[in-house]
Amino acid sequence: MNRIYTIAFYNIENLFDLENDPRTNDDDFLPTSHKRWTPKRYENKLRKIGSVISKIGEDDHDEAPVIVGLAEVENKTVLNDLVKSEHLIDEDYSYVHYDSADERGIDVALLYKSDVFEVTSSETFSVYLQDDDGQRDYTRDILLVEGRLNDENIAILVNHWSSRRDGEKVTEPKRIAAAKKVNSIIRNLKTKSENMKILVMGDFNDNPDNHSVELMEDESGLFNPFKTAWSKDKGSLNHDFEWNLFDQILFTTNIFDRNNSFLTYHDADVFDDRSLTQFRGKFKGQPFRTYVGKKYKGGYSDHFPVFIELKSN
């Protein structure tokens, strides 16, 4: 019987622990801060995020994702607490995480089920950026994890690119730089193994039709199934009542080759289950957030997860 493997990505909106890290700007997320990031709120966040991860995927199977890329995690402490939370403890997730030099102290990470996906190597790559004064501008590293899934060698790149906070056009060169770094990593991977299956996932802070994302498609021969998942009524986050699809998973086209692959592409979608949305008011249908500014809402995240499904042959 063919097995469906769900692979997901989720920006979980500021999963910080309760301790002050003097090396990073985490002061907003402390019990004594204006946001009052208390143990109760932290535990509620872990429980809610864990419940979402356990359910990501189509309705036609009830298995949690075998691989989940994450954005906006502070450190290994929060990952340990997340995989041990009530909805995930029986899923037996392991994880790969490295601390980056990001000024806010948030990183990317990869959860995986070690009985299904065997990690063979992992490393991170920095994206070199400069601010207006010519000083180094530190952002999240790109995480590369290589391993074996269903007897296939696959490589996964987890990304969280620079935000649009200072304006889309002003910040676009930073995302272009990240895309070029991804292309460089993929060139090296293909030098080692021409037929390597490669997945590129992340919060790109750009939509499928933006130059940075299309640059990866064109230069690295990637397919982006989220071009057709995005519409005026559907996305992974909402800004000024317009849907964006910053969260995407792209992959090399050899995943379509049924004759030479034990894994082939099956489906892709945004996991926008009603339980993750605002139920009422003018923001009805949008992601139910943990905070809006400093105001605590008690929700999940300002992003919906996205996922692809691969079928074993």
Side-chain angles (χ1 to χ4, degrees), residues 258-300:
R258 294 180 179 275
N259 295 322
N260 296 294
S261 179
F262 296 115
L263 286 171
T264 53
Y265 172 69
H266 178 63
D267 199 10
D269 208 350
V270 179
F271 188 68
D272 54 359
D273 189 83
R274 185 173 181 269
S275 64
L276 309 189
T277 68
Q278 299 259 49
F279 278 8
R280 59 181 66 87
K282 69 176 182 178
F283 300 110
K284 182 179 179 181
Q286 295 186 19
F288 182 27
R289 302 172 59 168
T290 307
Y291 281 92
V292 176
K294 290 187 170 66
K295 190 172 180 60
Y296 180 68
K297 295 294 185 179
Y300 301 85

Side-chain angles (χ1 to χ4, degrees), residues 12-260:
I12 55 177
E13 189 196 359
N14 295 323
L15 184 58
F16 283 85
D17 65 16
L18 301 163
E19 304 299 321
N20 184 29
D21 185 344
R23 298 167 299 174
T24 62
N25 185 17
D26 65 350
D27 293 352
D28 280 346
F29 289 91
L30 298 171
T32 55
S33 72
H34 289 299
K35 287 189 173 181
R36 291 175 46 240
W37 187 234
T38 61
K40 182 178 179 180
R41 291 179 175 183
Y42 177 59
E43 292 296 330
N44 183 54
K45 174 87 169 182
L46 292 170
R47 180 177 58 80
K48 288 200 162 186
I49 294 297
S51 73
V52 176
I53 291 172
S54 70
K55 294 184 291 189
I56 295 173
E58 293 285 12
D59 296 333
D60 54 6
H61 66 106
D62 57 3
E63 185 180 0
V66 296
I67 294 168
V68 187
L70 298 176
E72 298 200 8
V73 298
E74 184 182 17
N75 51 33
K76 288 180 172 59
T77 298
V78 300
L79 287 164
N80 280 327
D81 291 343
L82 179 61
V83 300
K84 292 175 183 174
S85 61
E86 62 178 280
H87 296 287
L88 294 186
I89 191 164
D90 293 335
E91 300 293 347
D92 199 26
Y93 280 113
S94 301
Y95 63 83
V96 180
H97 167 266
Y98 295 85
D99 283 314
S100 72
D102 180 77
E103 291 159 7
R104 287 185 55 222
I106 56 171
D107 311 314
V108 297
L110 192 81
L111 304 184
Y112 65 97
K113 295 187 176 185
S114 55
D115 61 331
V116 182
F117 179 63
E118 177 194 357
V119 172
T120 54
S121 68
S122 65
E123 60 183 308
T124 58
F125 297 84
S126 297
V127 180
Y128 187 83
L129 303 173
Q130 288 184 335
D131 62 21
D132 293 338
D133 298 323
Q135 299 298 310
R136 179 79 186 268
D137 185 6
Y138 291 98
T139 187
R140 281 77 61 174
D141 290 342
I142 298 169
L143 172 63
L144 168 63
V145 180
E146 295 183 61
R148 291 185 64 78
L149 176 65
N150 197 48
D151 289 328
E152 289 276 12
N153 290 322
I154 70 169
I156 302 163
L157 284 80
V158 190
N159 299 261
H160 184 194
W161 293 358
S162 299
S163 79
R164 297 180 170 195
R165 188 170 294 112
D166 295 326
E168 178 186 347
K169 288 302 175 188
V170 172
T171 56
E172 183 184 38
K174 296 181 178 182
R175 294 185 293 279
I176 297 290
K180 289 179 177 178
K181 189 67 179 181
V182 167
N183 287 335
S184 172
I185 297 166
I186 291 175
R187 279 196 298 274
N188 289 335
L189 287 170
K190 288 182 175 179
T191 300
K192 288 195 302 181
S193 174
E194 189 176 340
N195 296 315
M196 173 81 77
K197 308 288 193 299
I198 303 170
L199 308 178
V200 181
M201 61 173 63
D203 173 0
F204 301 116
N205 272 297
D206 268 339
N207 286 308
D209 62 353
N210 284 121
H211 180 48
S212 63
V213 179
E214 291 186 334
L215 188 64
M216 293 190 298
E217 273 189 277
D218 296 340
E219 290 197 10
S220 292
L222 302 179
F223 176 76
N224 188 357
F226 288 90
K227 278 192 164 179
T228 53
W230 179 40
S231 73
K232 68 180 182 63
D233 300 315
K234 187 167 192 170
S236 59
L237 71 158
N238 196 290
H239 180 67
D240 288 340
F241 299 96
E242 287 190 3
W243 284 105
N244 291 294
L245 189 49
F246 292 170
D247 308 272
Q248 301 158 59
I249 303 173
L250 299 83
F251 51 84
T252 46
T253 54
N254 54 5
I255 290 178
F256 288 111
D257 185 358
R258 294 180 179 275
N259 295 322
N260 296 294

